[in-house]
Every structure is written in C-alpha cells, then in structure tokens.
PDB file of all heavy atoms in Angstrom:
ATOM      1  N   GLN Y   1      82.093  83.708 136.930  1.00  0.00           N
ATOM      2  CA  GLN Y   1      80.830  83.123 137.388  1.00  0.00           C
ATOM      3  C   GLN Y   1      80.993  81.655 137.766  1.00  0.00           C
ATOM      4  O   GLN Y   1      80.390  81.187 138.740  1.00  0.00           O
ATOM      5  CB  GLN Y   1      79.767  83.273 136.295  1.00  0.00           C
ATOM      6  CG  GLN Y   1      79.296  84.702 136.078  1.00  0.00           C
ATOM      7  CD  GLN Y   1      78.399  84.834 134.856  1.00  0.00           C
ATOM      8  OE1 GLN Y   1      78.601  84.157 133.844  1.00  0.00           O
ATOM      9  NE2 GLN Y   1      77.396  85.698 134.942  1.00  0.00           N
ATOM     10  N   ILE Y   2      81.786  80.930 136.984  1.00  0.00           N
ATOM     11  CA  ILE Y   2      82.041  79.520 137.304  1.00  0.00           C
ATOM     12  C   ILE Y   2      82.716  79.404 138.664  1.00  0.00           C
ATOM     13  O   ILE Y   2      82.326  78.591 139.509  1.00  0.00           O
ATOM     14  CB  ILE Y   2      82.919  78.873 136.215  1.00  0.00           C
ATOM     15  CG1 ILE Y   2      82.165  78.827 134.884  1.00  0.00           C
ATOM     16  CG2 ILE Y   2      83.346  77.461 136.635  1.00  0.00           C
ATOM     17  CD1 ILE Y   2      83.022  78.441 133.706  1.00  0.00           C
ATOM     18  N   LYS Y   3      83.721  80.244 138.876  1.00  0.00           N
ATOM     19  CA  LYS Y   3      84.432  80.191 140.152  1.00  0.00           C
ATOM     20  C   LYS Y   3      83.508  80.555 141.308  1.00  0.00           C
ATOM     21  O   LYS Y   3      83.563  79.944 142.382  1.00  0.00           O
ATOM     22  CB  LYS Y   3      85.643  81.128 140.131  1.00  0.00           C
ATOM     23  CG  LYS Y   3      86.580  80.930 141.320  1.00  0.00           C
ATOM     24  CD  LYS Y   3      87.912  81.608 141.114  1.00  0.00           C
ATOM     25  CE  LYS Y   3      88.871  81.290 142.243  1.00  0.00           C
ATOM     26  NZ  LYS Y   3      90.204  81.901 142.009  1.00  0.00           N
ATOM     27  N   ASP Y   4      82.626  81.534 141.091  1.00  0.00           N
ATOM     28  CA  ASP Y   4      81.663  81.902 142.132  1.00  0.00           C
ATOM     29  C   ASP Y   4      80.735  80.724 142.451  1.00  0.00           C
ATOM     30  O   ASP Y   4      80.443  80.450 143.624  1.00  0.00           O
ATOM     31  CB  ASP Y   4      80.824  83.102 141.685  1.00  0.00           C
ATOM     32  CG  ASP Y   4      81.581  84.420 141.786  1.00  0.00           C
ATOM     33  OD1 ASP Y   4      82.647  84.448 142.437  1.00  0.00           O
ATOM     34  OD2 ASP Y   4      81.109  85.416 141.205  1.00  0.00           O
ATOM     35  N   GLU Y   5      80.250  80.045 141.405  1.00  0.00           N
ATOM     36  CA  GLU Y   5      79.355  78.908 141.602  1.00  0.00           C
ATOM     37  C   GLU Y   5      79.979  77.860 142.522  1.00  0.00           C
ATOM     38  O   GLU Y   5      79.330  77.353 143.440  1.00  0.00           O
ATOM     39  CB  GLU Y   5      79.007  78.273 140.248  1.00  0.00           C
ATOM     40  CG  GLU Y   5      77.929  78.990 139.471  1.00  0.00           C
ATOM     41  CD  GLU Y   5      76.533  78.657 139.967  1.00  0.00           C
ATOM     42  OE1 GLU Y   5      76.330  77.571 140.550  1.00  0.00           O
ATOM     43  OE2 GLU Y   5      75.642  79.495 139.751  1.00  0.00           O
ATOM     44  N   TYR Y   6      81.234  77.536 142.266  1.00  0.00           N
ATOM     45  CA  TYR Y   6      81.865  76.456 143.032  1.00  0.00           C
ATOM     46  C   TYR Y   6      82.472  76.930 144.344  1.00  0.00           C
ATOM     47  O   TYR Y   6      82.600  76.141 145.288  1.00  0.00           O
ATOM     48  CB  TYR Y   6      82.893  75.723 142.158  1.00  0.00           C
ATOM     49  CG  TYR Y   6      82.212  74.740 141.244  1.00  0.00           C
ATOM     50  CD1 TYR Y   6      81.795  75.116 139.970  1.00  0.00           C
ATOM     51  CD2 TYR Y   6      81.905  73.451 141.671  1.00  0.00           C
ATOM     52  CE1 TYR Y   6      81.119  74.232 139.140  1.00  0.00           C
ATOM     53  CE2 TYR Y   6      81.237  72.557 140.856  1.00  0.00           C
ATOM     54  CZ  TYR Y   6      80.842  72.955 139.593  1.00  0.00           C
ATOM     55  OH  TYR Y   6      80.162  72.081 138.784  1.00  0.00           O
ATOM     56  N   THR Y   7      82.805  78.200 144.438  1.00  0.00           N
ATOM     57  CA  THR Y   7      83.280  78.726 145.716  1.00  0.00           C
ATOM     58  C   THR Y   7      82.140  78.767 146.727  1.00  0.00           C
ATOM     59  O   THR Y   7      82.303  78.365 147.886  1.00  0.00           O
ATOM     60  CB  THR Y   7      83.869  80.135 145.534  1.00  0.00           C
ATOM     61  OG1 THR Y   7      84.991  80.070 144.647  1.00  0.00           O
ATOM     62  CG2 THR Y   7      84.340  80.694 146.874  1.00  0.00           C
ATOM     63  N   ILE Y   8      80.969  79.236 146.289  1.00  0.00           N
ATOM     64  CA  ILE Y   8      79.796  79.239 147.167  1.00  0.00           C
ATOM     65  C   ILE Y   8      79.418  77.812 147.545  1.00  0.00           C
ATOM     66  O   ILE Y   8      79.100  77.507 148.705  1.00  0.00           O
ATOM     67  CB  ILE Y   8      78.614  79.963 146.484  1.00  0.00           C
ATOM     68  CG1 ILE Y   8      78.947  81.438 146.265  1.00  0.00           C
ATOM     69  CG2 ILE Y   8      77.339  79.821 147.319  1.00  0.00           C
ATOM     70  CD1 ILE Y   8      77.944  82.162 145.400  1.00  0.00           C
ATOM     71  N   ASN Y   9      79.456  76.917 146.568  1.00  0.00           N
ATOM     72  CA  ASN Y   9      79.185  75.496 146.799  1.00  0.00           C
ATOM     73  C   ASN Y   9      80.142  74.921 147.844  1.00  0.00           C
ATOM     74  O   ASN Y   9      79.733  74.258 148.814  1.00  0.00           O
ATOM     75  CB  ASN Y   9      79.335  74.775 145.466  1.00  0.00           C
ATOM     76  CG  ASN Y   9      78.873  73.332 145.467  1.00  0.00           C
ATOM     77  OD1 ASN Y   9      79.080  72.625 144.486  1.00  0.00           O
ATOM     78  ND2 ASN Y   9      78.231  72.857 146.517  1.00  0.00           N
ATOM     79  N   LEU Y  10      81.418  75.192 147.651  1.00  0.00           N
ATOM     80  CA  LEU Y  10      82.444  74.687 148.565  1.00  0.00           C
ATOM     81  C   LEU Y  10      82.238  75.214 149.977  1.00  0.00           C
ATOM     82  O   LEU Y  10      82.316  74.453 150.962  1.00  0.00           O
ATOM     83  CB  LEU Y  10      83.829  75.084 148.050  1.00  0.00           C
ATOM     84  CG  LEU Y  10      85.039  74.653 148.884  1.00  0.00           C
ATOM     85  CD1 LEU Y  10      85.167  73.137 148.891  1.00  0.00           C
ATOM     86  CD2 LEU Y  10      86.306  75.292 148.333  1.00  0.00           C
ATOM     87  N   ASN Y  11      81.962  76.499 150.097  1.00  0.00           N
ATOM     88  CA  ASN Y  11      81.786  77.097 151.421  1.00  0.00           C
ATOM     89  C   ASN Y  11      80.553  76.546 152.133  1.00  0.00           C
ATOM     90  O   ASN Y  11      80.565  76.347 153.352  1.00  0.00           O
ATOM     91  CB  ASN Y  11      81.695  78.618 151.300  1.00  0.00           C
ATOM     92  CG  ASN Y  11      83.030  79.248 150.924  1.00  0.00           C
ATOM     93  OD1 ASN Y  11      84.083  78.660 151.135  1.00  0.00           O
ATOM     94  ND2 ASN Y  11      82.980  80.449 150.358  1.00  0.00           N
ATOM     95  N   ALA Y  12      79.483  76.287 151.371  1.00  0.00           N
ATOM     96  CA  ALA Y  12      78.266  75.739 151.974  1.00  0.00           C
ATOM     97  C   ALA Y  12      78.513  74.331 152.497  1.00  0.00           C
ATOM     98  O   ALA Y  12      78.050  73.959 153.582  1.00  0.00           O
ATOM     99  CB  ALA Y  12      77.123  75.743 150.960  1.00  0.00           C
ATOM    100  N   VAL Y  13      79.251  73.534 151.726  1.00  0.00           N
ATOM    101  CA  VAL Y  13      79.565  72.175 152.161  1.00  0.00           C
ATOM    102  C   VAL Y  13      80.483  72.199 153.379  1.00  0.00           C
ATOM    103  O   VAL Y  13      80.267  71.473 154.360  1.00  0.00           O
ATOM    104  CB  VAL Y  13      80.212  71.379 151.010  1.00  0.00           C
ATOM    105  CG1 VAL Y  13      80.763  70.046 151.519  1.00  0.00           C
ATOM    106  CG2 VAL Y  13      79.199  71.140 149.897  1.00  0.00           C
ATOM    107  N   LYS Y  14      81.484  73.050 153.331  1.00  0.00           N
ATOM    108  CA  LYS Y  14      82.418  73.134 154.462  1.00  0.00           C
ATOM    109  C   LYS Y  14      81.704  73.562 155.738  1.00  0.00           C
ATOM    110  O   LYS Y  14      81.993  73.054 156.833  1.00  0.00           O
ATOM    111  CB  LYS Y  14      83.542  74.111 154.140  1.00  0.00           C
ATOM    112  CG  LYS Y  14      84.617  74.176 155.221  1.00  0.00           C
ATOM    113  CD  LYS Y  14      85.750  75.109 154.836  1.00  0.00           C
ATOM    114  CE  LYS Y  14      86.812  75.153 155.930  1.00  0.00           C
ATOM    115  NZ  LYS Y  14      87.931  76.064 155.579  1.00  0.00           N
ATOM    116  N   ALA Y  15      80.738  74.479 155.613  1.00  0.00           N
ATOM    117  CA  ALA Y  15      79.979  74.924 156.786  1.00  0.00           C
ATOM    118  C   ALA Y  15      79.177  73.781 157.393  1.00  0.00           C
ATOM    119  O   ALA Y  15      78.981  73.723 158.608  1.00  0.00           O
ATOM    120  CB  ALA Y  15      79.055  76.076 156.396  1.00  0.00           C
ATOM    121  N   ALA Y  16      78.713  72.854 156.549  1.00  0.00           N
ATOM    122  CA  ALA Y  16      77.873  71.758 157.035  1.00  0.00           C
ATOM    123  C   ALA Y  16      78.680  70.592 157.573  1.00  0.00           C
ATOM    124  O   ALA Y  16      78.306  69.986 158.579  1.00  0.00           O
ATOM    125  CB  ALA Y  16      76.953  71.279 155.909  1.00  0.00           C
ATOM    126  N   ILE Y  17      79.787  70.232 156.909  1.00  0.00           N
ATOM    127  CA  ILE Y  17      80.508  69.013 157.293  1.00  0.00           C
ATOM    128  C   ILE Y  17      81.923  69.273 157.798  1.00  0.00           C
ATOM    129  O   ILE Y  17      82.587  68.356 158.255  1.00  0.00           O
ATOM    130  CB  ILE Y  17      80.566  68.001 156.126  1.00  0.00           C
ATOM    131  CG1 ILE Y  17      81.492  68.492 155.010  1.00  0.00           C
ATOM    132  CG2 ILE Y  17      79.164  67.726 155.598  1.00  0.00           C
ATOM    133  CD1 ILE Y  17      81.716  67.460 153.911  1.00  0.00           C
ATOM    134  N   GLY Y  18      82.397  70.516 157.692  1.00  0.00           N
ATOM    135  CA  GLY Y  18      83.721  70.850 158.204  1.00  0.00           C
ATOM    136  C   GLY Y  18      84.865  70.372 157.341  1.00  0.00           C
ATOM    137  O   GLY Y  18      86.016  70.352 157.781  1.00  0.00           O
ATOM    138  N   LYS Y  19      84.580  69.988 156.087  1.00  0.00           N
ATOM    139  CA  LYS Y  19      85.607  69.506 155.169  1.00  0.00           C
ATOM    140  C   LYS Y  19      85.406  70.114 153.794  1.00  0.00           C
ATOM    141  O   LYS Y  19      84.285  70.456 153.415  1.00  0.00           O
ATOM    142  CB  LYS Y  19      85.569  67.967 155.082  1.00  0.00           C
ATOM    143  CG  LYS Y  19      85.928  67.268 156.388  1.00  0.00           C
ATOM    144  CD  LYS Y  19      85.866  65.750 156.246  1.00  0.00           C
ATOM    145  CE  LYS Y  19      84.441  65.240 156.187  1.00  0.00           C
ATOM    146  NZ  LYS Y  19      84.389  63.749 156.299  1.00  0.00           N
ATOM    147  N   GLU Y  20      86.507  70.233 153.042  1.00  0.00           N
ATOM    148  CA  GLU Y  20      86.455  70.818 151.703  1.00  0.00           C
ATOM    149  C   GLU Y  20      86.662  69.736 150.649  1.00  0.00           C
ATOM    150  O   GLU Y  20      87.760  69.202 150.513  1.00  0.00           O
ATOM    151  CB  GLU Y  20      87.535  71.898 151.544  1.00  0.00           C
ATOM    152  CG  GLU Y  20      87.379  73.078 152.486  1.00  0.00           C
ATOM    153  CD  GLU Y  20      88.422  74.146 152.215  1.00  0.00           C
ATOM    154  OE1 GLU Y  20      88.872  74.267 151.052  1.00  0.00           O
ATOM    155  OE2 GLU Y  20      88.797  74.848 153.171  1.00  0.00           O
ATOM    156  N   PRO Y  21      85.651  69.412 149.870  1.00  0.00           N
ATOM    157  CA  PRO Y  21      85.797  68.382 148.842  1.00  0.00           C
ATOM    158  C   PRO Y  21      86.798  68.771 147.763  1.00  0.00           C
ATOM    159  O   PRO Y  21      86.995  69.953 147.464  1.00  0.00           O
ATOM    160  CB  PRO Y  21      84.377  68.276 148.255  1.00  0.00           C
ATOM    161  CG  PRO Y  21      83.480  68.777 149.331  1.00  0.00           C
ATOM    162  CD  PRO Y  21      84.249  69.863 150.000  1.00  0.00           C
ATOM    163  N   THR Y  22      87.418  67.759 147.181  1.00  0.00           N
ATOM    164  CA  THR Y  22      88.383  67.960 146.097  1.00  0.00           C
ATOM    165  C   THR Y  22      87.817  67.557 144.744  1.00  0.00           C
ATOM    166  O   THR Y  22      88.496  67.697 143.733  1.00  0.00           O
ATOM    167  CB  THR Y  22      89.651  67.123 146.343  1.00  0.00           C
ATOM    168  OG1 THR Y  22      89.299  65.726 146.310  1.00  0.00           O
ATOM    169  CG2 THR Y  22      90.290  67.468 147.671  1.00  0.00           C
ATOM    170  N   MET Y  23      86.589  67.022 144.733  1.00  0.00           N
ATOM    171  CA  MET Y  23      86.014  66.516 143.493  1.00  0.00           C
ATOM    172  C   MET Y  23      84.722  67.254 143.163  1.00  0.00           C
ATOM    173  O   MET Y  23      83.994  67.681 144.065  1.00  0.00           O
ATOM    174  CB  MET Y  23      85.768  65.014 143.583  1.00  0.00           C
ATOM    175  CG  MET Y  23      87.036  64.224 143.865  1.00  0.00           C
ATOM    176  SD  MET Y  23      86.753  62.435 143.943  1.00  0.00           S
ATOM    177  CE  MET Y  23      88.310  61.912 144.703  1.00  0.00           C
ATOM    178  N   ALA Y  24      84.458  67.401 141.863  1.00  0.00           N
ATOM    179  CA  ALA Y  24      83.290  68.150 141.423  1.00  0.00           C
ATOM    180  C   ALA Y  24      82.708  67.525 140.168  1.00  0.00           C
ATOM    181  O   ALA Y  24      83.413  66.895 139.377  1.00  0.00           O
ATOM    182  CB  ALA Y  24      83.662  69.604 141.145  1.00  0.00           C
ATOM    183  N   ARG Y  25      81.419  67.709 140.011  1.00  0.00           N
ATOM    184  CA  ARG Y  25      80.724  67.295 138.789  1.00  0.00           C
ATOM    185  C   ARG Y  25      79.984  68.513 138.232  1.00  0.00           C
ATOM    186  O   ARG Y  25      79.213  69.156 138.949  1.00  0.00           O
ATOM    187  CB  ARG Y  25      79.741  66.166 139.081  1.00  0.00           C
ATOM    188  CG  ARG Y  25      78.843  65.790 137.892  1.00  0.00           C
ATOM    189  CD  ARG Y  25      78.002  64.564 138.209  1.00  0.00           C
ATOM    190  NE  ARG Y  25      78.817  63.362 138.216  1.00  0.00           N
ATOM    191  CZ  ARG Y  25      78.454  62.218 138.792  1.00  0.00           C
ATOM    192  NH1 ARG Y  25      77.297  62.130 139.437  1.00  0.00           N
ATOM    193  NH2 ARG Y  25      79.249  61.161 138.748  1.00  0.00           N
ATOM    194  N   PRO Y  26      80.188  68.826 136.956  1.00  0.00           N
ATOM    195  CA  PRO Y  26      79.453  69.947 136.363  1.00  0.00           C
ATOM    196  C   PRO Y  26      78.020  69.539 136.027  1.00  0.00           C
ATOM    197  O   PRO Y  26      77.794  68.422 135.539  1.00  0.00           O
ATOM    198  CB  PRO Y  26      80.254  70.255 135.095  1.00  0.00           C
ATOM    199  CG  PRO Y  26      80.875  68.941 134.727  1.00  0.00           C
ATOM    200  CD  PRO Y  26      81.148  68.232 136.018  1.00  0.00           C
ATOM    201  N   PRO Y  27      77.041  70.393 136.280  1.00  0.00           N
ATOM    202  CA  PRO Y  27      75.670  70.077 135.888  1.00  0.00           C
ATOM    203  C   PRO Y  27      75.580  69.737 134.400  1.00  0.00           C
ATOM    204  O   PRO Y  27      76.257  70.357 133.566  1.00  0.00           O
ATOM    205  CB  PRO Y  27      74.908  71.371 136.208  1.00  0.00           C
ATOM    206  CG  PRO Y  27      75.683  71.971 137.344  1.00  0.00           C
ATOM    207  CD  PRO Y  27      77.117  71.671 137.027  1.00  0.00           C
ATOM    208  N   PHE Y  28      74.785  68.739 134.083  1.00  0.00           N
ATOM    209  CA  PHE Y  28      74.579  68.242 132.725  1.00  0.00           C
ATOM    210  C   PHE Y  28      75.831  67.590 132.138  1.00  0.00           C
ATOM    211  O   PHE Y  28      75.837  67.196 130.976  1.00  0.00           O
ATOM    212  CB  PHE Y  28      74.116  69.354 131.769  1.00  0.00           C
ATOM    213  CG  PHE Y  28      73.102  70.291 132.334  1.00  0.00           C
ATOM    214  CD1 PHE Y  28      73.432  71.607 132.623  1.00  0.00           C
ATOM    215  CD2 PHE Y  28      71.813  69.871 132.594  1.00  0.00           C
ATOM    216  CE1 PHE Y  28      72.499  72.478 133.168  1.00  0.00           C
ATOM    217  CE2 PHE Y  28      70.870  70.731 133.126  1.00  0.00           C
ATOM    218  CZ  PHE Y  28      71.217  72.037 133.421  1.00  0.00           C
ATOM    219  N   GLY Y  29      76.920  67.495 132.921  1.00  0.00           N
ATOM    220  CA  GLY Y  29      78.183  67.011 132.376  1.00  0.00           C
ATOM    221  C   GLY Y  29      78.864  68.036 131.502  1.00  0.00           C
ATOM    222  O   GLY Y  29      79.824  67.713 130.795  1.00  0.00           O
ATOM    223  N   ASN Y  30      78.404  69.294 131.551  1.00  0.00           N
ATOM    224  CA  ASN Y  30      78.928  70.337 130.679  1.00  0.00           C
ATOM    225  C   ASN Y  30      80.106  71.066 131.330  1.00  0.00           C
ATOM    226  O   ASN Y  30      79.935  71.804 132.308  1.00  0.00           O
ATOM    227  CB  ASN Y  30      77.833  71.355 130.345  1.00  0.00           C
ATOM    228  CG  ASN Y  30      76.795  70.801 129.400  1.00  0.00           C
ATOM    229  OD1 ASN Y  30      76.917  69.680 128.910  1.00  0.00           O
ATOM    230  ND2 ASN Y  30      75.757  71.577 129.131  1.00  0.00           N
ATOM    231  N   CYS Y  31      81.275  70.874 130.776  1.00  0.00           N
ATOM    232  CA  CYS Y  31      82.465  71.581 131.262  1.00  0.00           C
ATOM    233  C   CYS Y  31      83.466  71.660 130.117  1.00  0.00           C
ATOM    234  O   CYS Y  31      84.264  70.741 129.912  1.00  0.00           O
ATOM    235  CB  CYS Y  31      83.069  70.877 132.473  1.00  0.00           C
ATOM    236  SG  CYS Y  31      84.353  71.839 133.305  1.00  0.00           S
ATOM    237  N   ASN Y  32      83.412  72.759 129.397  1.00  0.00           N
ATOM    238  CA  ASN Y  32      84.318  72.937 128.262  1.00  0.00           C
ATOM    239  C   ASN Y  32      85.703  73.354 128.742  1.00  0.00           C
ATOM    240  O   ASN Y  32      85.986  73.346 129.945  1.00  0.00           O
ATOM    241  CB  ASN Y  32      83.729  73.951 127.269  1.00  0.00           C
ATOM    242  CG  ASN Y  32      83.450  75.302 127.923  1.00  0.00           C
ATOM    243  OD1 ASN Y  32      83.983  75.628 128.987  1.00  0.00           O
ATOM    244  ND2 ASN Y  32      82.586  76.092 127.289  1.00  0.00           N
ATOM    245  N   GLU Y  33      86.547  73.730 127.803  1.00  0.00           N
ATOM    246  CA  GLU Y  33      87.932  74.054 128.155  1.00  0.00           C
ATOM    247  C   GLU Y  33      88.019  75.202 129.151  1.00  0.00           C
ATOM    248  O   GLU Y  33      88.821  75.160 130.091  1.00  0.00           O
ATOM    249  CB  GLU Y  33      88.708  74.394 126.880  1.00  0.00           C
ATOM    250  CG  GLU Y  33      90.196  74.616 127.113  1.00  0.00           C
ATOM    251  CD  GLU Y  33      90.965  74.859 125.825  1.00  0.00           C
ATOM    252  OE1 GLU Y  33      90.373  74.693 124.744  1.00  0.00           O
ATOM    253  OE2 GLU Y  33      92.154  75.205 125.904  1.00  0.00           O
ATOM    254  N   ALA Y  34      87.190  76.224 128.975  1.00  0.00           N
ATOM    255  CA  ALA Y  34      87.207  77.354 129.897  1.00  0.00           C
ATOM    256  C   ALA Y  34      86.771  76.933 131.295  1.00  0.00           C
ATOM    257  O   ALA Y  34      87.351  77.358 132.302  1.00  0.00           O
ATOM    258  CB  ALA Y  34      86.301  78.473 129.368  1.00  0.00           C
ATOM    259  N   CYS Y  35      85.734  76.091 131.356  1.00  0.00           N
ATOM    260  CA  CYS Y  35      85.261  75.570 132.645  1.00  0.00           C
ATOM    261  C   CYS Y  35      86.343  74.738 133.310  1.00  0.00           C
ATOM    262  O   CYS Y  35      86.621  74.890 134.507  1.00  0.00           O
ATOM    263  CB  CYS Y  35      84.000  74.744 132.424  1.00  0.00           C
ATOM    264  SG  CYS Y  35      83.535  73.669 133.793  1.00  0.00           S
ATOM    265  N   ALA Y  36      86.954  73.837 132.551  1.00  0.00           N
ATOM    266  CA  ALA Y  36      87.996  72.972 133.108  1.00  0.00           C
ATOM    267  C   ALA Y  36      89.170  73.786 133.639  1.00  0.00           C
ATOM    268  O   ALA Y  36      89.785  73.417 134.652  1.00  0.00           O
ATOM    269  CB  ALA Y  36      88.465  71.979 132.049  1.00  0.00           C
ATOM    270  N   LYS Y  37      89.496  74.879 132.961  1.00  0.00           N
ATOM    271  CA  LYS Y  37      90.603  75.719 133.415  1.00  0.00           C
ATOM    272  C   LYS Y  37      90.332  76.272 134.809  1.00  0.00           C
ATOM    273  O   LYS Y  37      91.220  76.349 135.658  1.00  0.00           O
ATOM    274  CB  LYS Y  37      90.835  76.867 132.435  1.00  0.00           C
ATOM    275  CG  LYS Y  37      92.052  77.732 132.765  1.00  0.00           C
ATOM    276  CD  LYS Y  37      92.267  78.799 131.711  1.00  0.00           C
ATOM    277  CE  LYS Y  37      93.546  79.581 131.996  1.00  0.00           C
ATOM    278  NZ  LYS Y  37      93.492  80.287 133.303  1.00  0.00           N
TER     279      LYS Y  37
END
C-alpha cells in the first residue's frame, strides 16, 4: 500500500511536470522502519 501511494503520487507529478522527484515527505512525519524500507 505504501508503494502504491507513492507510485500513484509519482506518476501524477510526472504527468504534470514531466519530471520524477527523488524526495518525499510522509504525512504527519510518520515513516517507521517498514515505511523507510
């Protein structure tokens, strides 16, 4: 689910600006070990 969240996010951004960001921020600052992996 985490990968789906950011893959969809990435694709939406790429469709709008033609570039793929390398940086991300987790909502609420929540990103445990599994998320970071």
Side-chain angles (χ1 to χ4, degrees):
Q1 290 172 324
I2 295 170
K3 191 166 185 177
D4 283 346
E5 280 280 335
Y6 280 91
T7 298
I8 296 170
N9 189 188
L10 179 66
N11 289 338
V13 170
K14 184 177 180 180
I17 70 173
K19 295 180 286 190
E20 298 184 29
T22 64
M23 301 181 194
R25 173 174 287 162
F28 318 110
N30 288 355
C31 190
N32 58 19
E33 186 176 351
C35 164
K37 185 177 184 299

